[in-house]
Amino acid sequence: MDSASNLALLMARYQQGDSAAAADLIRSLSPPLHRFFLMQYVSRRHADDLLQETWLRIHEVRHTYRRGQPVLPWLYAIARHVRVDHYRKTHRAESREERLEESFDVAQPAREGPPGTPDLERLLASLPESQREVIVMLKVSEMSLEEVARATASSVGSVKQKAHRAYETLRRGLATMLAPGAPSRGSA
Amino acid sequence: MRDPEIDNLLKRAAGAQPQVDPALVDRLAQSIGASAAPVRPLAPAWILSGGLVMLCAVLAVAGAALLGFHGLRKMSALEVAAIFPVLAVLLGMAAAVCAAEMVPGSRRPVAPWALGVAGCLLLAAVFGLLFHDYRTERFVPQGMACLVAGLAQAVPAWAAAWWVLRRGFAVNSLAAGFARGALAGLAGVAMLELHCPNFETLHVIVWHIAVLPVSGALGLLAAAVSGSVRAGRRAAP
């Protein structure tokens, strides 16, 4: 049985009240979801909060999953909604409060890569949010074009176009970074 | 640099991300697993869409029956054969979009905004081809009466759509609100075509079709207001 039909089966059992299926689903889908949030440039603490919030929302609306349909677009559509909601809340709160802990709390913790590897995080950060999201879903979460289109409520053509543009930007940025004489991550 | 090399770099970047805390996952699995009661899944998309179309059609006919089928009586067979199938197709598409907006990750036949624009253009083309009376007698008063009647018809259709889709979950509440408003507006247009005997081209194109975007905009507004009320409630201590 492939991974997609296994997820669909677990989801169907979760809807029937099977707590073991719910736990299996959470264990198998939390790591990619967490990675999805981290790659959208939120802090580790916020990614943890978003993960919890997403599962609570999924639990509330689990009846909206339709049996036989792919699970990932349904799940990522809810995760996107939670992220947008979180962004709005944070934005609203920040506009009211003084941003005392901004640099401490919101900034992504620095991660060290092997010396000489291009700083892909900096490149990804340069992409517009809609393109970055598509790239993360396609290449990191390994979803198909159709699944990404469903999760982002857009067409397959639009997803292809975003991915193409993102790759063009990444290619240009990487060419600059890997050019002889360009400063590399490890040389700093 | 070739695409597979970029793919490889992206995978490495993803692998370099810190892993999710296993204790957090265990906690989530325990708390959600403990409250995993059985739930009744939403009805299939075709049942929701079909139900919406039926309800809107019944409400449009009931509204026209209340006000009189003056428009239908005055129409030629060609006009009936051209207008109502187009309205039925638009109602079907709007119902499918409405249902899709309330189910996360479902395949959308068309974006709600695009449906609104396409619906207005299609109806304008059909009315423009069928009606050739270019007078504009009492353009605004008669037009306003039709707009108000169409919007009044849209209210119960909106409420019916809300009832049918009440168990759904909109990940984009504005798009869902517009789609529901547009569907209700189409019910209003259908009622006006059955009822209104004024076949002046501009009257039909401007005031009858206006029900669709105005109702869509009101649906959008209702969604925005209810969204900010919900956000305010969540933010309250």
Side-chain angles (χ1 to χ4, degrees):
Chain A
M1 191 182 289
D2 66 353
S3 156
S5 48
N6 188 31
L7 287 178
L9 197 70
L10 284 175
M11 195 62 217
R13 281 172 46 205
Y14 176 27
Q15 284 185 323
Q16 288 162 356
D18 184 338
S19 54
D24 284 351
L25 208 58
I26 291 167
R27 288 202 176 92
S28 63
L29 291 173
S30 288
L33 266 179
H34 194 256
R35 213 174 297 136
F36 170 72
F37 289 131
L38 278 176
M39 292 196 78
Q40 307 291 323
Y41 293 89
V42 296
S43 66
R44 170 79 191 250
R45 189 173 66 87
H46 278 131
D48 288 354
D49 289 348
L50 286 170
L51 183 69
Q52 293 187 64
E53 181 70 26
T54 301
W55 279 114
L56 290 177
R57 199 65 62 88
I58 284 170
H59 189 61
E60 274 171 31
V61 301
R62 63 193 185 279
H63 62 277
T64 62
Y65 169 74
R66 288 203 177 107
R67 286 175 200 184
Q69 295 291 311
V71 175
L72 290 181
W74 177 81
L75 183 107
Y76 276 84
I78 296 170
R80 278 181 89 229
H81 169 79
V82 169
R83 183 170 59 81
V84 171
D85 224 23
H86 169 85
Y87 172 77
R88 283 199 196 118
K89 261 190 264 178
T90 314
H91 191 68
R92 221 177 284 138
E94 276 178 0
S95 65
R96 284 197 220 115
E97 294 165 12
E98 275 188 88
R99 298 164 72 179
L100 292 173
E101 293 182 84
E102 184 188 31
S103 58
F104 169 73
D105 196 34
V106 177
Q108 186 80 338
R111 284 185 283 276
E112 287 298 318
T117 46
D119 189 354
L120 201 67
E121 287 171 22
R122 191 153 56 87
L123 271 178
L124 277 175
S126 71
L127 295 176
E129 195 170 316
S130 61
Q131 289 180 16
R132 189 168 63 232
E133 177 184 70
V134 161
I135 287 293
V136 172
M137 283 189 196
L138 279 173
K139 302 299 174 185
V140 179
S141 304
E142 298 185 333
M143 290 162 73
S144 67
L145 285 167
E146 166 71 19
E147 286 177 329
V148 177
R150 280 173 171 233
T152 56
S154 54
S155 64
V156 170
S158 160
V159 171
K160 273 186 189 168
Q161 195 181 44
K162 281 177 190 159
H164 176 74
R165 286 184 181 156
Y167 265 56
E168 286 300 308
T169 311
L170 289 175
R171 194 173 289 120
R172 274 197 305 275
L174 285 166
T176 314
M177 271 184 186
L178 297 174
S184 69
R185 191 183 213 171
S187 65
Chain B
M1 185 172 258
R2 287 175 301 142
D3 286 1
E5 290 170 307
I6 300 177
D7 289 353
N8 197 24
L9 281 171
L10 284 166
K11 288 209 173 76
R12 272 162 51 195
Q17 299 287 335
Q19 296 298 307
V20 59
D21 181 3
L24 171 67
V25 176
D26 283 343
R27 216 169 43 243
L28 279 167
Q30 275 170 13
S31 64
I32 286 180
S35 57
V39 288
R40 182 167 52 91
L42 271 186
W46 67 270
I47 291 185
L48 292 177
S49 309
L52 287 172
V53 171
M54 286 291 289
L55 273 171
C56 286
V58 166
L59 285 168
V61 172
L66 212 66
L67 298 170
F69 290 103
H70 309 305
L72 184 65
R73 282 198 203 103
K74 200 178 160 187
M75 271 184 198
S76 67
L78 173 71
E79 286 162 350
V80 171
I83 291 171
F84 291 103
V86 167
L87 276 171
V89 168
L90 285 174
L91 266 175
M93 286 192 72
V97 171
C98 264
E101 286 297 335
M102 297 304 285
V103 179
S106 51
R107 191 184 281 126
R108 283 199 312 183
V110 59
W113 334 105
L115 179 72
V117 173
C120 290
L121 291 176
L122 184 61
L123 287 172
V126 171
F127 293 153
L129 283 171
L130 292 174
F131 301 123
H132 301 288
D133 179 355
Y134 298 105
R135 287 173 299 166
T136 51
E137 283 174 17
R138 301 187 63 235
F139 183 66
V140 174
Q142 282 197 4
M144 284 304 287
C146 277
L147 181 63
V148 169
L151 289 175
Q153 172 66 45
V155 173
W158 185 91
W162 174 85
W163 183 78
V164 169
L165 300 171
R166 70 194 181 284
R167 293 183 68 234
F169 173 65
V171 288
N172 183 347
S173 57
L174 295 183
F178 181 84
R180 200 175 299 167
L183 175 74
L186 279 167
V189 176
M191 186 281 287
L192 286 177
E193 295 320 307
L194 291 167
H195 163 67
C196 178
N198 185 344
F199 289 174
E200 288 172 3
T201 315
L202 277 177
H203 170 83
V204 180
I205 288 180
V206 173
W207 295 105
H208 288 198
I209 294 177
V211 176
L212 170 56
V214 172
S215 176
L218 289 174
L220 185 86
L221 189 70
V225 169
S226 80
S228 59
V229 168
R230 269 201 305 269
R233 260 190 226 145
R234 273 203 300 265

